Amino acid sequence: MKKSVILGALSVAGLSAGAAAAATLDDVKARGQLNCGVSTGLSGFSAPDADGEWQGFDVAVCRAVAAAVLDDPMAVEFVPTTGKTRFTALASGEVDMLARNTTWTLSRDVDLKFEFTGVNYYDGQGFMVPKSLGVSSAKELSGATVCIQTGTTTELNLADYFRKNDMDYEPVPIETNAEAQQQYLAGACDVYTTDASGLAATRASFENAGDHVILPEIISKEPLGPLVRHGDNEWGDVVRWTLNALIAAEEMGINSDNLAEMAEGTENPEVNRLLGTEGNLGEMLGLDSDWAQRAIMAGGNYGELFEKHIGEQTPIGLARGLNAQWTDGGLLYAPPFR
């Protein structure tokens, strides 16, 4: 019942916000700053470093958009949001976009009046337990206490999974990943469940990471990506094609080291169109011809960002898996730049 009320209220907020904010691109240009909603802190994805500067895979998407639109990847105000507050922040206009581990679902797309602009990480929900628990499968978790972030798809997936497998559990509601870590390490719950990438990021932050096990079961599809308000199509196009530019750049062999050289012109017409040496794609987006060059230079192509922030050589240690290019057996596939 509470969920229905919240969804209905957000639907109304989304409708009014969509009507009132149909020119976000103009607003961002006039303001000279992108307001980007991120998580309250998830290592590798979005978290402030020791100097208070936001870093991470999701943060990089915000910076790429700012670079494309404002010619300055640092012209971003990062707004931390929880699972409960993120949609209100976007619907109300407090932020121009969300880039914070948000799953693309029908109800969020349609009922909440948001528009997902692509997927920057294909994920799925998993479970983490202390190694001392002696559990090797999620199907051994009947009767467990489970830390679960409220207002998320993981809350619903958890209920579905335990019901389907005729198991019981006791939920321990938490608001943020930081709270989940604290409760889990304090023994307030036997299990922490969230997106598998989030579990890897959380475990990497533990002093004794090896004392914790991520179970093999993945119980859901969690396509995570940036989103904007419905009815703001021009702005949605900018965010969508900025993400596509990062993905396409990797596929085309464009990276931060060779970008300047390739921007002088190549034998590949699509590379030239992407980098603005042919055609007028930037003009179609309300930007100049170098928009994609700036987006790529902000941090690198998709592969560079992945390896820098969450890849196998980082403490997070994620393999590309489903997030490999389609040419390498993954799901990453940018539409044509033409």
Side-chain angles (χ1 to χ4, degrees):
M1 188 67 182
K2 287 181 180 178
K3 177 175 176 289
S4 299
V5 171
I6 292 170
L7 289 178
L10 281 171
S11 295
V12 173
L15 282 168
S16 59
T24 303
L25 178 58
D26 293 335
D27 292 343
V28 171
K29 286 180 175 179
R31 189 191 308 131
Q33 175 183 283
L34 171 68
N35 296 331
C36 197
V38 291
S39 73
T40 54
L42 182 61
S43 180
F45 285 89
S46 55
D49 62 17
D51 297 321
E53 186 174 303
W54 284 85
Q55 304 283 356
F57 191 61
D58 290 331
V59 165
V61 174
C62 304
R63 295 205 187 281
V65 173
V69 176
L70 301 170
D71 193 14
D72 183 1
M74 303 305 291
V76 186
E77 176 70 22
F78 292 100
V79 180
T81 62
T82 69
K84 282 186 174 181
T85 64
R86 54 184 164 174
F87 298 130
T88 303
L90 181 59
S92 68
E94 180 183 356
V95 298
D96 304 309
M97 60 180 285
L98 282 182
R100 57 146 345 271
N101 309 83
T102 298
T103 303
W104 190 347
T105 71
L106 186 148
S107 61
R108 291 172 175 178
D109 198 329
V110 179
D111 190 40
L112 299 191
K113 304 301 178 186
F114 297 129
E115 182 174 346
F116 284 79
T117 58
V119 177
N120 74 319
Y121 193 89
Y122 289 93
D123 211 342
Q125 184 173 335
F127 300 91
M128 180 168 63
V129 298
K131 186 179 288 186
S132 60
L133 205 61
V135 171
S136 59
S137 168
K139 292 185 178 178
E140 300 173 36
L141 295 177
S142 187
T145 53
V146 184
C147 280
I148 179 76
Q149 289 190 53
T150 55
T152 65
T153 55
T154 54
E155 192 174 20
L156 306 177
N157 295 334
L158 178 67
D160 287 349
Y161 182 77
F162 273 71
R163 178 182 175 186
K164 184 168 62 176
N165 288 283
D166 195 26
M167 301 190 302
D168 298 319
Y169 69 98
E170 182 182 340
V172 179
I174 47 93
E175 290 280 342
T176 67
N177 190 64
E179 184 185 352
Q181 291 183 33
Q182 187 179 50
Q183 296 280 40
Y184 172 79
L185 290 175
C189 54
D190 304 312
V191 186
Y192 179 32
T193 184
T194 189
D195 298 335
S197 64
L199 294 177
T202 299
R203 184 173 64 172
S205 69
F206 292 166
E207 185 176 348
N208 299 304
D211 292 345
H212 305 272
V213 178
I214 297 175
L215 300 178
E217 287 87 354
I218 298 295
I219 68 169
S220 69
K221 293 185 295 184
E222 305 294 328
L224 310 176
L227 59 156
V228 299
R229 291 176 286 275
H230 261 186
D232 203 352
N233 297 337
E234 185 179 19
W235 176 242
D237 288 341
V238 168
V239 177
R240 176 180 300 107
W241 285 98
T242 297
L243 175 59
N244 284 335
L246 302 179
I247 295 169
E250 182 187 20
E251 179 186 345
M252 296 178 194
I254 305 167
N255 57 49
S256 54
D257 291 330
N258 65 19
L259 175 61
E261 179 183 350
M262 297 189 79
E264 294 177 3
T266 73
E267 297 299 317
N268 185 329
E270 189 165 20
V271 169
N272 297 341
R273 288 192 293 269
L274 172 62
L275 298 183
T277 55
E278 288 184 22
N280 64 337
L281 299 185
E283 182 182 338
M284 294 179 190
L285 288 167
L287 305 174
D288 62 20
S289 60
D290 295 337
W291 67 277
Q293 290 188 45
R294 294 194 299 271
I296 297 163
M297 277 303 298
N301 65 31
Y302 180 93
E304 290 178 283
L305 296 176
F306 192 103
E307 294 309 317
K308 176 182 178 181
H309 296 293
I310 57 176
E312 292 181 290
Q313 302 307 311
T314 71
I316 313 303
L318 295 174
R320 288 292 292 268
L322 294 178
N323 296 288
Q325 290 281 341
W326 66 285
T327 49
D328 296 323
L331 297 179
L332 281 193
Y333 187 112
F337 279 78
R338 62 166 58 252

